[in-house]
Amino acid sequence: MGRWEPGAGSRLREAALNLYLERGFDQTMVNDIAERAGVTARTFFRHFADKREVLFDAAAELEEKSLAALEEAPATASALELVAAALDAVADTIGHDRELALMRHTVIMANADLRERELIKLAQMTAALADGLRRRGIGDAEADLAAEIGSAVYRVAFRRWVDAAGDLELREAIDQSFAQLRTLTAAD
């Protein structure tokens, strides 16, 4: 087996995103990405299973960190407070690089198959969050509802964050979305 190249994963991700934006996802081949990153295709496959995984490889880490945050939350936390803790962990993980998130989002939104995959990953994350809530003693219906609410809050906050012209942080966008949700539900 060949030598592991430190930093190649980041170079590959950057090269792939730039090529996807320049040429389109379907028109970009693994060899193009590897060449742009200055590595071999073999090195690409050491880091990513295929060219889609450049966009989706962080899903397992996001799930792991959000569930860990849910588990570490105080025993007295409500279902929505637990969901908020999980979303804070997501913000800690991806909220540091809005430009990268915007590039990824742009590529995904331009391709129907990638949008579908993004929705599947989000649904898997929502189901994992609901299961985590159940392990914390939250009932089935409440766990499902809280996880779905968290998913909706995240989607709205993420769009607000990547589209923001100013210094809006992802965590702030999540907090704003939760505040809007409280306002909406208080009106009824």
Side-chain angles (χ1 to χ4, degrees):
M1 191 138 181
R3 173 177 70 85
W4 178 260
E5 296 184 42
S10 296
R11 288 196 321 270
L12 285 161
R13 179 173 283 108
E14 181 180 338
L17 285 170
N18 285 320
L19 285 167
Y20 297 161
L21 289 170
E22 291 168 19
R23 298 179 184 174
F25 178 81
D26 290 330
Q27 290 73 33
T28 302
M29 302 301 136
V30 168
N31 286 335
D32 301 328
I33 298 166
E35 182 179 321
R36 174 77 61 99
V39 300
T40 65
R42 186 174 174 173
T43 298
F44 176 92
F45 288 114
R46 284 191 195 108
H47 291 273
F48 303 105
D50 59 39
K51 68 181 191 175
R52 290 173 306 175
E53 282 308 300
V54 171
L55 300 166
F56 298 103
D57 70 317
E61 178 187 3
L62 286 176
E63 183 176 316
E64 180 182 309
K65 288 185 176 185
S66 64
L67 291 176
L70 187 146
E71 292 297 323
E72 294 167 4
T76 57
S78 70
L80 284 181
E81 288 169 336
L82 292 169
V83 167
L87 292 181
D88 277 349
V90 169
D92 286 344
T93 305
I94 66 168
H96 62 280
D97 195 339
R98 183 178 6 192
E99 184 178 331
L100 178 68
L102 178 57
M103 289 172 68
R104 179 186 177 277
H105 180 71
T106 301
V107 169
I108 290 170
M109 291 299 108
N111 183 291
D113 290 336
L114 296 176
R115 283 192 309 271
E116 180 180 17
R117 186 171 175 119
E118 178 82 336
L119 290 172
I120 290 167
K121 293 283 187 179
L122 186 57
Q124 291 169 339
M125 179 73 162
T126 302
L129 185 57
D131 288 342
L133 291 169
R134 285 184 194 90
R135 286 191 299 275
R136 289 285 307 243
I138 307 294
D140 286 342
E142 188 178 350
D144 288 339
L145 184 58
E148 291 292 341
I149 287 169
S151 178
V153 164
Y154 172 76
R155 287 192 317 271
V156 169
F158 181 84
R159 281 193 306 270
R160 180 180 290 155
W161 174 60
V162 295
D163 292 340
D167 293 334
L168 181 68
E169 298 291 327
L170 179 54
R171 177 172 277 119
E172 287 177 84
I174 290 169
D175 291 345
Q176 290 171 4
S177 292
F178 269 120
Q180 288 178 313
L181 174 66
R182 284 190 291 277
T183 300
L184 285 171
T185 57
D188 291 336

